[in-house]
Amino acid sequence: MSKPAILMPSPMMPLVVERLDERFRLHRLWEDPDPEGWLAAHGGSVRGLAAGGHRRIDAALLDALPSLEIVSSFGVGYDHVDAAEAGRRGVVVTNTPDVLTEEVADLALGLLLATVRRLPQAERYLRAGEWLEKPFPLSPTLRTRTVGILGYGRIGKAIARRLDAFGVEVVYHGRRRQEGAAHRHYDTLVDMARAVDTLICVAPGGAATKGMISREVLRALGPDGILINVGRGTTVDEAALIAALEAGEILSAGLDVFEDEPRVPQALIDRDDVVLLPHVGSASVHTREAMGRLVVDNLVSWFENAGPLTPVPETPWTKA
Ligand code: 8YV
């Protein structure tokens, strides 16, 4: 039997490309001189799709792939995949949960500490020779803070566990109160923002969370407020965030994700009081390789008729 055809619309890490190449007929669409022509001629033969990068996997692309069975997406967030549309067409979507939970939680704590204690600013100060003149100014503290988590899922809980160990009070907002949760729940984001001074966003992207962290929420966080975002840039109204920082309505922000990556607004780059990272939450060799292996393993498992390993909720899998 011929190997199933797998389409890779945009570049992925070498481990994924090499392993898929061994087992499947892999087509690297981004290297094709005429991607549209290739899709028109061969789209009908594609049975699996390996999705990395942020090219949208939407109805238009699915239209070109009538025999598609599975989309195996890199990353726990899959807002670049129209999973509901895939589900309507009987196409399974998988993501890479669990393998990155602790890594992203580690990064969130690092970014929180860096932002509160102004670590990058302190390091720049030393390198500039300013320590020779006078000590670095005293920083704000984590000690008096209450942290509100938006997105109390696997990563949110891993962050909460770390904060528990740090002796910091944690609360959360989600659509529903979670049974048996160790932390207090708030029904609305704005109520939680009023009650805390530090907001950590781990929420997924997409239409449901777009712009949720609004000017109103930032104002509710208050002048000592610190926003940390390791979820998706789209969840924060970036223009409102810049305006709130400029007006002194919040103290600072630590951001790993942005609305239009890799473009970061100059107004943020110009500010010395924010900490900005290039979307590195899961970006260690160890964790990215584990994510890559899971992308491959989902496809292998599917084409061995063993079902998907980690289907997303929009395309639940029940064995026929
Ligand atoms: C990846 C992420 O950087 O898993 C996610 O949802 O945001 C990150 O781990 C991203 O998906 C890579 O494209």
Side-chain angles (χ1 to χ4, degrees):
M1 239 180 55
S2 77
K3 294 173 172 178
I6 304 286
L7 183 68
M8 190 179 283
S10 39
M12 296 183 77
M13 56 197 294
L15 176 148
V16 176
V17 178
E18 284 155 23
R19 290 195 183 188
L20 292 180
D21 233 358
E22 281 163 21
R23 292 203 167 236
F24 302 100
R25 264 189 306 132
L26 181 68
H27 189 71
R28 302 156 167 83
L29 192 62
W30 77 94
E31 286 180 353
D32 200 294
D34 177 17
E36 295 311 316
W38 189 90
L39 283 173
H42 305 286
S45 67
V46 171
R47 295 176 61 197
L49 193 148
H54 289 279
R55 178 184 169 141
R56 278 199 65 71
I57 311 298
D58 55 11
L61 182 59
L62 296 176
D63 279 345
L65 308 171
S67 310
L68 190 66
E69 298 166 36
I70 179 168
V71 174
S72 180
S73 182
F74 184 87
V76 66
Y78 52 95
D79 40 309
H80 52 290
V81 181
D82 189 341
E85 181 58 32
R88 279 192 285 278
R89 297 167 186 237
V91 175
V92 169
V93 176
T94 63
N95 63 345
T96 61
D98 302 319
V99 292
L100 47 56
T101 299
E102 304 300 327
E103 196 78 83
V104 177
D106 288 349
L107 189 283
L109 262 290
L111 182 54
L112 174 65
L113 285 170
T115 307
V116 175
R117 299 297 308 277
R118 303 202 206 276
L119 302 185
Q121 294 90 333
E123 211 235 12
R124 289 199 288 272
Y125 187 90
L126 179 153
R127 286 179 189 274
E130 292 184 57
W131 191 16
L132 296 167
E133 308 301 324
K134 56 180 187 313
F136 186 68
L138 302 183
S139 75
T141 181
L142 190 61
R143 291 300 99 212
T144 56
R145 289 185 175 266
T146 303
V147 172
I149 296 184
L150 171 63
Y152 193 66
R154 283 172 280 221
I155 301 173
K157 290 193 182 88
I159 293 171
R161 279 199 306 277
R162 283 160 175 73
L163 288 168
D164 289 344
F166 274 60
V168 173
E169 194 185 339
V170 176
V171 300
Y172 74 99
H173 162 67
R175 274 161 301 180
R176 283 174 302 278
R177 196 174 73 78
Q178 296 191 26
E179 274 318 307
H183 304 101
R184 175 169 176 190
H185 172 253
Y186 281 85
D187 284 332
T188 72
L189 177 56
V190 79
D191 281 345
M192 180 173 82
R194 252 182 234 116
V196 305
D197 50 18
T198 309
L199 177 59
I200 301 187
C201 171
V202 212
T209 55
K210 192 168 169 30
M212 206 177 164
I213 301 182
S214 60
R215 185 81 179 259
E216 186 196 6
V217 168
L218 294 168
R219 281 194 178 126
L221 206 54
D224 285 328
I226 290 185
L227 169 68
I228 303 295
N229 191 4
V230 295
R232 280 291 178 267
T234 50
T235 308
V236 176
D237 178 341
E238 219 163 60
L241 171 63
I242 292 166
L245 285 164
E246 281 169 358
E249 290 168 2
I250 66 166
L251 185 65
S252 176
L255 309 170
D256 185 42
V257 288
F258 301 88
E259 247 174 41
D260 183 27
E261 295 172 9
R263 282 161 289 275
V264 176
Q266 195 60 40
L268 289 174
I269 291 178
D270 288 343
R271 295 194 72 87
D272 188 54
D273 59 356
V274 295
V275 180
L276 310 172
L277 298 179
H279 199 151
V280 291
S282 66
S284 69
V285 174
H286 168 87
T287 292
R288 284 291 171 84
E289 287 191 352
M291 293 161 67
R293 281 195 298 272
L294 190 48
V295 167
V296 175
D297 291 349
N298 266 299
L299 290 166
V300 170
S301 178
W302 177 264
F303 288 105
E304 282 176 349
N305 293 318
L309 301 176
T310 48
V312 304
E314 292 90 334
T315 65
W317 177 249
T318 39
K319 212 169 156 52

